Amino acid sequence: MTYEEALAFLEETRGYGSILGLDNIRGLMEELGNVQEELAVIHIAGTNGKGSVGAMLDAVLRQAGYHVGRYSSPAVFSYEEIWQINGVPITREAYAYHMERVRAACQRRVEQGRPHPTAFEIETALAFLFFRAENCDVVLLETGLGGSMDATNVIFHPVCSVITSVSRDHMAFLGDTLSEIAEAKAGIIKEGCPVVSAWQQAEVLTVLQRVSKECHAPLTVASSERLSGISYDVKGLRLAYEGIGEVSVHLTGAYQIPNAACALETLLQLMRLGYTITRDAIRNGLSQVRWNGRMEHVSDRPDVYLDGAHNEAAAHSLAETIENCFTNRRITYIIGVLADKEYGKMLSVLLPYCGRVYTVTPDNPRALPAQELAECAQATLREREGEDTVNIPSVIAAPDVAFAVREALRDTDRGDVILAWGSLSYLAEVKKCVAEAARDEEVRHDR
């Protein structure tokens, strides 16, 4: 099987949709020898922060000398980055090799009269095969949606289950209340296996405590009371955590404070389990961590940042970051969201900080059209300002991302800020357009 044939096979399976449940993935993994049970897995679920916590753990464990596999979706800049070992994405050759085994297993399932596995189930099975073939010491496995019915939840004996911040998102699948959503996330908790949680709202914590007790799984909750010396700016985050000491994290934003605490508490748990992780490995790893699309700085002419804030809780955290890092600076937004998100609430939180808005349509089947988003933004601004139209920022529905980036750069002075936020699915294109604009500018100067 070639890489192109592997991609074509996966594309064919997208017609099977996204079906929550474990029967299919369990059957598929049985066909593949249940290789997932040969892996030391740290299973990560949560609404916000899965990627950032995973990135921190990845950086520290590598610094400690471990061979680390990481499965994290969606991809931001390249499809292959979903599967990484020691920060290096899967090669096209390895992808095709393992996909051929997965396809054969899918065909056997269909011949037995079973449903064809979905695209996410296939990608998850490929991850297990890849990490087992490469003899990973530890695997950081992020859920795709929820927890209990997520395809990654075919793991029976994780090293540790990690629950990052839980808030309202994916309500159509997970439930309308925080308790229902927390119940779904808590589905990754396994009998007798330790659990680490970020600090949570009381409603969420009650669920996690109950499920952990039912599973005889010791629960440790990262505590804000164990934090001190917190400060952050556009360059990163600094804090001290009880039991570890002072660290600097090369990620910024208010939301990285609970993420860092969750990662540090997880590292302490791993040390208790016998993993050799020194304080130096923690400090060095966190100082080098990188994670695409999370307050990522991609240009300084002017400053351009990318952030995947895609729900109300993330919007509040981003607003706090703006207040802390961009005081007295004019901010231009580029916004693209998915139609099934609570984008009205996000706009209400974040529009007070902007000077101009460009809306775009992400390249995603679930995307909200730029014009609809622009109309919602205009209505939100009018409601806030009332009849005073003088202070209402202009909102422009861009025909494409390239137009939005080009016009935002033209309209923004060196000391100002462009912030592209919303769905991760369009941020790669923003980054590409910003880089192209920088190259064009260099060519003009050379002439």
mmCIF file of all heavy atoms in Angstrom, residues 240-261:
data_model
loop_
_atom_site.group_PDB
_atom_site.id
_atom_site.type_symbol
_atom_site.label_atom_id
_atom_site.label_comp_id
_atom_site.label_asym_id
_atom_site.label_seq_id
_atom_site.Cartn_x
_atom_site.Cartn_y
_atom_site.Cartn_z
ATOM 1 N N ALA A 240 5.800 28.342 40.629
ATOM 2 C CA ALA A 240 6.399 27.325 41.490
ATOM 3 C C ALA A 240 5.286 26.401 41.944
ATOM 4 O O ALA A 240 4.178 26.853 42.259
ATOM 5 C CB ALA A 240 7.085 27.976 42.688
ATOM 6 N N TYR A 241 5.584 25.079 41.986
ATOM 7 C CA TYR A 241 4.589 24.098 42.419
ATOM 8 C C TYR A 241 5.185 23.275 43.550
ATOM 9 O O TYR A 241 6.319 22.799 43.463
ATOM 10 C CB TYR A 241 4.190 23.189 41.256
ATOM 11 C CG TYR A 241 2.908 22.428 41.504
ATOM 12 C CD1 TYR A 241 1.688 23.081 41.433
ATOM 13 C CD2 TYR A 241 2.924 21.068 41.815
ATOM 14 C CE1 TYR A 241 0.494 22.398 41.655
ATOM 15 C CE2 TYR A 241 1.737 20.379 42.042
ATOM 16 C CZ TYR A 241 0.522 21.049 41.958
ATOM 17 O OH TYR A 241 -0.645 20.376 42.195
ATOM 18 N N GLU A 242 4.395 23.135 44.592
ATOM 19 C CA GLU A 242 4.855 22.403 45.773
ATOM 20 C C GLU A 242 5.283 20.982 45.387
ATOM 21 O O GLU A 242 4.556 20.248 44.730
ATOM 22 C CB GLU A 242 3.713 22.351 46.791
ATOM 23 C CG GLU A 242 4.068 21.684 48.101
ATOM 24 C CD GLU A 242 2.873 21.631 49.040
ATOM 25 O OE1 GLU A 242 2.123 22.639 49.106
ATOM 26 O OE2 GLU A 242 2.679 20.589 49.686
ATOM 27 N N GLY A 243 6.487 20.595 45.811
ATOM 28 C CA GLY A 243 7.013 19.276 45.495
ATOM 29 C C GLY A 243 7.918 19.268 44.293
ATOM 30 O O GLY A 243 8.621 18.285 44.051
ATOM 31 N N ILE A 244 7.904 20.373 43.518
ATOM 32 C CA ILE A 244 8.749 20.451 42.321
ATOM 33 C C ILE A 244 9.635 21.691 42.343
ATOM 34 O O ILE A 244 10.801 21.648 41.985
ATOM 35 C CB ILE A 244 7.885 20.419 41.040
ATOM 36 C CG1 ILE A 244 7.291 19.022 40.861
ATOM 37 C CG2 ILE A 244 8.697 20.810 39.805
ATOM 38 C CD1 ILE A 244 6.387 18.856 39.684
ATOM 39 N N GLY A 245 9.094 22.826 42.761
ATOM 40 C CA GLY A 245 9.854 24.060 42.764
ATOM 41 C C GLY A 245 9.505 24.951 41.594
ATOM 42 O O GLY A 245 8.457 24.790 40.959
ATOM 43 N N GLU A 246 10.380 25.884 41.288
ATOM 44 C CA GLU A 246 10.117 26.870 40.247
ATOM 45 C C GLU A 246 10.352 26.282 38.857
ATOM 46 O O GLU A 246 11.314 25.547 38.631
ATOM 47 C CB GLU A 246 11.018 28.097 40.448
ATOM 48 C CG GLU A 246 10.732 28.870 41.719
ATOM 49 C CD GLU A 246 11.596 30.108 41.847
ATOM 50 O OE1 GLU A 246 12.438 30.350 40.950
ATOM 51 O OE2 GLU A 246 11.439 30.835 42.837
ATOM 52 N N VAL A 247 9.455 26.623 37.937
ATOM 53 C CA VAL A 247 9.592 26.204 36.544
ATOM 54 C C VAL A 247 9.176 27.354 35.636
ATOM 55 O O VAL A 247 8.406 28.226 36.026
ATOM 56 C CB VAL A 247 8.719 24.960 36.224
ATOM 57 C CG1 VAL A 247 9.178 23.752 37.033
ATOM 58 C CG2 VAL A 247 7.246 25.247 36.453
ATOM 59 N N SER A 248 9.700 27.321 34.420
ATOM 60 C CA SER A 248 9.278 28.238 33.367
ATOM 61 C C SER A 248 8.726 27.400 32.224
ATOM 62 O O SER A 248 9.374 26.428 31.797
ATOM 63 C CB SER A 248 10.453 29.078 32.866
ATOM 64 O OG SER A 248 10.938 29.924 33.882
ATOM 65 N N VAL A 249 7.544 27.744 31.769
ATOM 66 C CA VAL A 249 6.875 26.978 30.710
ATOM 67 C C VAL A 249 6.859 27.813 29.440
ATOM 68 O O VAL A 249 6.400 28.952 29.454
ATOM 69 C CB VAL A 249 5.432 26.615 31.110
ATOM 70 C CG1 VAL A 249 4.794 25.726 30.050
ATOM 71 C CG2 VAL A 249 5.408 25.928 32.472
ATOM 72 N N HIS A 250 7.357 27.233 28.347
ATOM 73 C CA HIS A 250 7.399 27.972 27.095
ATOM 74 C C HIS A 250 6.045 27.913 26.377
ATOM 75 O O HIS A 250 5.935 27.597 25.202
ATOM 76 C CB HIS A 250 8.498 27.421 26.183
ATOM 77 C CG HIS A 250 8.802 28.324 25.025
ATOM 78 N ND1 HIS A 250 9.536 29.472 25.149
ATOM 79 C CD2 HIS A 250 8.457 28.249 23.719
ATOM 80 C CE1 HIS A 250 9.641 30.060 23.984
ATOM 81 N NE2 HIS A 250 8.983 29.338 23.090
ATOM 82 N N LEU A 251 4.993 28.174 27.143
ATOM 83 C CA LEU A 251 3.641 28.366 26.625
ATOM 84 C C LEU A 251 3.057 29.501 27.436
ATOM 85 O O LEU A 251 3.383 29.645 28.618
ATOM 86 C CB LEU A 251 2.788 27.106 26.813
ATOM 87 C CG LEU A 251 3.186 25.842 26.053
ATOM 88 C CD1 LEU A 251 2.341 24.661 26.512
ATOM 89 C CD2 LEU A 251 3.054 26.028 24.555
ATOM 90 N N THR A 252 2.202 30.292 26.823
ATOM 91 C CA THR A 252 1.658 31.427 27.565
ATOM 92 C C THR A 252 0.135 31.390 27.568
ATOM 93 O O THR A 252 -0.483 30.602 26.857
ATOM 94 C CB THR A 252 2.156 32.758 26.989
ATOM 95 O OG1 THR A 252 1.886 33.804 27.927
ATOM 96 C CG2 THR A 252 1.477 33.087 25.666
ATOM 97 N N GLY A 253 -0.448 32.238 28.376
ATOM 98 C CA GLY A 253 -1.893 32.323 28.478
ATOM 99 C C GLY A 253 -2.368 31.937 29.854
ATOM 100 O O GLY A 253 -1.783 31.070 30.525
ATOM 101 N N ALA A 254 -3.447 32.565 30.291
ATOM 102 C CA ALA A 254 -4.000 32.276 31.614
ATOM 103 C C ALA A 254 -4.396 30.820 31.747
ATOM 104 O O ALA A 254 -4.252 30.214 32.823
ATOM 105 C CB ALA A 254 -5.206 33.183 31.860
ATOM 106 N N TYR A 255 -4.886 30.226 30.643
ATOM 107 C CA TYR A 255 -5.354 28.844 30.701
ATOM 108 C C TYR A 255 -4.219 27.849 30.905
ATOM 109 O O TYR A 255 -4.458 26.681 31.246
ATOM 110 C CB TYR A 255 -6.142 28.486 29.442
ATOM 111 C CG TYR A 255 -5.434 28.768 28.140
ATOM 112 C CD1 TYR A 255 -4.530 27.860 27.603
ATOM 113 C CD2 TYR A 255 -5.685 29.934 27.428
ATOM 114 C CE1 TYR A 255 -3.890 28.106 26.406
ATOM 115 C CE2 TYR A 255 -5.058 30.195 26.237
ATOM 116 C CZ TYR A 255 -4.152 29.282 25.721
ATOM 117 O OH TYR A 255 -3.512 29.537 24.532
ATOM 118 N N GLN A 256 -2.953 28.290 30.682
ATOM 119 C CA GLN A 256 -1.848 27.362 30.878
ATOM 120 C C GLN A 256 -1.499 27.173 32.349
ATOM 121 O O GLN A 256 -0.751 26.248 32.689
ATOM 122 C CB GLN A 256 -0.609 27.834 30.100
ATOM 123 C CG GLN A 256 -0.775 27.870 28.587
ATOM 124 C CD GLN A 256 -1.077 26.502 27.980
ATOM 125 O OE1 GLN A 256 -1.212 25.507 28.677
ATOM 126 N NE2 GLN A 256 -1.207 26.463 26.658
ATOM 127 N N ILE A 257 -2.040 28.008 33.237
ATOM 128 C CA ILE A 257 -1.762 27.844 34.672
ATOM 129 C C ILE A 257 -2.372 26.542 35.189
ATOM 130 O O ILE A 257 -1.654 25.700 35.750
ATOM 131 C CB ILE A 257 -2.250 29.072 35.463
ATOM 132 C CG1 ILE A 257 -1.480 30.330 35.016
ATOM 133 C CG2 ILE A 257 -2.061 28.847 36.965
ATOM 134 C CD1 ILE A 257 -2.042 31.624 35.566
ATOM 135 N N PRO A 258 -3.689 26.300 35.022
ATOM 136 C CA PRO A 258 -4.223 24.998 35.455
ATOM 137 C C PRO A 258 -3.662 23.832 34.658
ATOM 138 O O PRO A 258 -3.506 22.719 35.199
ATOM 139 C CB PRO A 258 -5.736 25.138 35.258
ATOM 140 C CG PRO A 258 -5.910 26.261 34.296
ATOM 141 C CD PRO A 258 -4.771 27.197 34.535
ATOM 142 N N ASN A 259 -3.341 24.064 33.372
ATOM 143 C CA ASN A 259 -2.746 22.992 32.574
ATOM 144 C C ASN A 259 -1.386 22.589 33.134
ATOM 145 O O ASN A 259 -1.068 21.402 33.245
ATOM 146 C CB ASN A 259 -2.596 23.429 31.119
ATOM 147 C CG ASN A 259 -3.932 23.576 30.404
ATOM 148 O OD1 ASN A 259 -4.939 23.028 30.842
ATOM 149 N ND2 ASN A 259 -3.942 24.325 29.321
ATOM 150 N N ALA A 260 -0.582 23.585 33.482
ATOM 151 C CA ALA A 260 0.746 23.296 34.029
ATOM 152 C C ALA A 260 0.633 22.568 35.359
ATOM 153 O O ALA A 260 1.373 21.606 35.630
ATOM 154 C CB ALA A 260 1.534 24.594 34.192
ATOM 155 N N ALA A 261 -0.306 23.002 36.209
ATOM 156 C CA ALA A 261 -0.493 22.335 37.494
ATOM 157 C C ALA A 261 -0.906 20.883 37.296
ATOM 158 O O ALA A 261 -0.420 19.979 37.997
ATOM 159 C CB ALA A 261 -1.537 23.082 38.317
#
